[in-house]
Amino acid sequence: MENQDTMVKLAINGGIAFGSKLNAKQLCVIAEHMSDNDELELTTFQQLYIEIPESQMELVKEKFKQVGLSVYLVGNYVKSLRTCNFCKGEEEEGMPVAKELNKRIAGKSVPFTLRPAYTGCPVGCGEPLVNDIGVMKVGEKYDLYLGGKAKGKDAQVGTLLMEQLAPEQLYEVVDHIIEIYTEQGKKREPFFKFVNRIGLEELKHLIN
Ligand code: SF4
């Protein structure tokens, strides 16, 4: 009988940089792991979905990483940070902070897929107010929004939880919020519902 390997879905992108881009080498390595009829799914969250045989997953992940691709699991995890294009420059728009935040939170296991977004100035190209956790750089510091939802009739804009946080404060608060959601969120409870249920004041109280 034919041995059917289970397929697993991986999310990949070129990491946090100026724009959401892939280079030729990365495209070639991705194509090497696809057969003629396979399709690559382009998501709205700056990720591509590719299906890989489970038995080859670690090997493929390593090959992707060697050409600078970032690889994430798909499912009930924190997604990689959606970002703006940092049009005014890496330092001015806080790209190192976005990278560090992504490193700390992307891939964490949570009750339901969580979408964090970052934007380098109040123009808001990274759409932080319509994602679960939104970070906006304002001046030299960072404002934090929670509970935005872009889709559906119940779409809602996120609410400002804290403003003018230094980078270390931002990392700590976001880590803590994800911890609280992981511990107190119901199974498959979307983050915006969790925020609505607990309430921002109570969340602030739990963080402090
Ligand atoms: S949010 Fe600001 S820094 Fe980022 S791409 Fe838009 S205008 Fe440029």
Side-chain angles (χ1 to χ4, degrees):
M1 203 166 70
E2 204 178 319
N3 185 14
Q4 288 276 339
D5 204 346
T6 309
M7 301 299 281
V8 286
K9 202 180 262 190
L10 293 178
I12 51 177
N13 63 28
I16 293 175
F18 295 106
S20 196
K21 296 174 186 166
L22 295 175
N23 62 35
K25 204 168 176 186
Q26 291 167 340
L27 288 169
C28 288
V29 172
I30 294 168
E32 269 173 30
H33 294 91
M34 299 175 67
S35 42
D36 288 354
N37 294 323
D38 285 349
E39 291 176 330
L40 204 55
E41 184 182 343
L42 175 62
T43 73
T44 55
F45 216 72
Q46 298 173 333
Q47 291 182 332
L48 294 168
Y49 284 165
I50 184 169
E51 291 207 329
I52 301 291
E54 193 171 22
S55 62
Q56 294 176 26
M57 190 167 77
E58 290 312 315
L59 182 75
V60 174
K61 274 164 80 174
E62 201 41 50
K63 280 193 172 177
F64 284 170
K65 285 178 186 169
Q66 279 169 9
V67 291
L69 290 166
S70 296
V71 185
Y72 305 96
L73 294 173
V74 176
N76 294 329
Y77 303 100
V78 178
K79 276 191 163 299
S80 54
L81 196 65
R82 179 190 164 105
T83 65
C84 73
N85 289 348
F86 302 96
C87 72
K88 293 172 192 159
E90 179 169 349
E91 290 300 327
E92 196 180 332
E93 306 309 350
M95 196 194 292
V97 171
K99 284 183 177 169
E100 179 62 24
L101 185 62
N102 184 61
K103 198 167 96 187
R104 287 175 179 238
I105 64 173
K108 283 192 174 179
S109 180
V110 279
F112 192 72
T113 311
L114 185 144
R115 295 173 169 78
Y118 175 97
T119 206
C121 82
V123 174
C125 305
E127 303 179 350
L129 270 70
V130 288
N131 281 286
D132 292 315
I133 293 179
V135 177
M136 179 183 282
K137 185 164 189 276
V138 181
E140 292 306 307
K141 302 268 179 76
Y142 300 84
D143 291 357
L144 179 62
Y145 291 82
L146 292 189
K149 180 178 188 284
K151 294 189 290 185
K153 284 185 178 172
D154 54 352
Q156 65 180 39
V157 175
T159 310
L160 183 65
L161 181 79
M162 289 181 180
E163 52 190 334
Q164 293 296 285
L165 298 168
E168 281 303 329
Q169 291 174 300
L170 175 73
Y171 306 145
E172 233 175 78
V173 171
V174 172
D175 269 347
H176 205 159
I177 289 166
I178 293 172
E179 249 175 55
I180 295 167
Y181 175 45
T182 306
E183 283 165 10
Q184 300 192 20
K186 296 176 188 166
K187 196 172 175 215
R188 295 194 54 78
E189 180 179 33
F191 186 73
F192 80 98
K193 283 194 178 168
F194 169 75
V195 172
N196 291 349
R197 176 167 66 83
I198 299 282
L200 279 188
E201 285 314 309
E202 177 61 13
L203 264 178
K204 269 191 200 165
H205 173 71
L206 292 170
I207 292 162
N208 290 322

